[in-house]
């Protein structure tokens, strides 16, 4: 091989190497561009997913906060309404106490008879021979004056009841006024106490005071009063009961 051929062959080899390098560089560049494009697409997708989830989470949080705020507002309103209604009911009870107190003062003879009736009723409930009667300080003189008559009425009532059963009533009765009065805040009426077979003088107590009677009366008629004063509560209660019955019916049909 002469020098010209050798130079030519070297030039061919150089061109070949350059071509190979160029193709390899283009291949690397294409691969790099593809990887860059794939990374950019993945980056965009991840960012879109992130911001979408972030937006949904914020939307959900705002909805929850709104519901909580609405619930608090409703609870506050319900509490306010409830307090107002409790105030109204307390006012009705106060009016009843004032009316009852006024009636007792204006009708002393009827009140005296009422005290005797309450005493006889209490004796019939206790069915004890030794009984102490407690009343307000203002009523002590009146109550003391009716002890014997109330005791006699009790004995007569029990005697008749025993005769109907063809038995004999035999109980030594001792009814006395207790030295300790009821609280000054008490409207009126009496308490009856018996130690029964214990050493405690108040082992058994029949509370026949007008305060207790009024409390029982208020408790019994409160649903009726609420239905008259707050008919929407009655309507809501009926709707709840209707829904409950429908649910029970659906459950029964399902089985």
């Amino acid at each position: 091989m002469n020098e010209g051929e050798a130079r030519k062959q070297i030039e061919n080899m150089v061109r070949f190497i350059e071509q190979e390098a160029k193709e390899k560089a283009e291949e690397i560049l294409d691969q790099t561009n593809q990887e860059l494009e794939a990374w950019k697409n993945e980056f965009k997708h991840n960012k879109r997913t992130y911001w979408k989830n972030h937006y949904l989470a914020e939307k959900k949080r705002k909805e929850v906060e709104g519901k909580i705020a609405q619930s608090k507002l409703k609870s506050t309103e319900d509490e306010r309404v409830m307090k107002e209604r409790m105030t109204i009911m307390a006012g009705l009870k106060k009016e009843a106490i004032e009316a009852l107190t006024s009636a007792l003062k204006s009708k002393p003879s009827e009140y005296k008879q009422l005290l005797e009736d309450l005493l006889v009723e209490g004796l019939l409930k206790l069915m004890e021979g030794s009984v102490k009667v407690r009343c307000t300080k203002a009523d002590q003189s009146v109550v003391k004056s009716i002890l014997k008559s109330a005791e006699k009425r009790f004995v007569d009532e029990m005697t008749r009841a025993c005769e109907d059963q063809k038995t004999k009533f035999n109980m030594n009765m001792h009814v006395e006024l207790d030295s300790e009065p009821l609280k000054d805040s008490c409207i009126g009426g009496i308490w009856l106490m018996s130690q029964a077979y214990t050493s405690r003088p108040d082992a058994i107590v029949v509370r026949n005071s007008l305060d207790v009677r009024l409390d029982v009366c208020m408790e019994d008629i409160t649903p009726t009063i609420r239905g008259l004063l707050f008919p929407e509560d009655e309507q809501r209660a009926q709707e709840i009961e209707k829904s409950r019955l429908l649910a029970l019916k659906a459950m029964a049909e399902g089985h």
Side-chain angles (χ1 to χ4, degrees), residues 175-241:
V175 182
E176 62 177 335
L177 187 66
D178 188 40
S179 58
E180 182 180 347
L182 294 175
K183 295 180 179 179
D184 293 336
S185 59
C186 180
I187 305 171
I190 56 173
W191 285 15
L192 294 89
M193 300 171 294
S194 174
Q195 66 180 19
Y197 300 100
T198 70
S199 58
R200 290 176 50 197
D202 58 348
I204 305 176
V205 180
V206 174
R207 293 174 174 81
N208 246 357
S209 66
L210 299 183
D211 301 73
V212 174
R213 290 292 188 114
L214 180 59
D215 287 340
V216 173
C217 181
M218 288 293 293
E219 184 176 350
D220 289 342
I221 66 174
T222 289
T224 303
I225 295 176
R226 286 185 175 275
L228 294 173
L229 294 179
F230 320 119
E232 63 273 14
D233 285 357
E234 184 70 18
Q235 182 180 355
R236 185 164 178 263
Q238 291 177 358
E239 290 175 354
I240 292 174
E241 180 63 16

Side-chain angles (χ1 to χ4, degrees), residues 78-95:
D78 289 345
E79 185 177 354
R80 183 189 65 79
V81 172
M82 186 181 298
K83 286 182 178 179
E84 287 184 357
R85 292 179 178 178
M86 289 176 64
T87 301
I88 293 173
M89 295 300 293
L92 289 176
K93 184 177 180 181
K94 184 179 178 181
E95 290 179 9

Side-chain angles (χ1 to χ4, degrees), residues 95-135:
E95 290 179 9
I97 292 174
E98 292 173 351
L100 186 56
T101 303
S102 176
L104 297 181
K105 291 180 179 179
S106 63
K107 300 178 180 180
S109 59
E110 286 87 343
Y111 180 46
K112 181 179 180 180
Q113 184 61 49
L114 175 62
L115 287 172
E116 185 175 325
D117 293 341
L118 292 174
L119 180 51
V120 173
E121 182 185 60
L123 291 173
L124 290 170
K125 286 183 178 180
L126 274 178
M127 293 298 295
E128 294 289 336
S130 179
V131 178
K132 285 189 175 184
V133 181
R134 184 177 294 178
C135 62

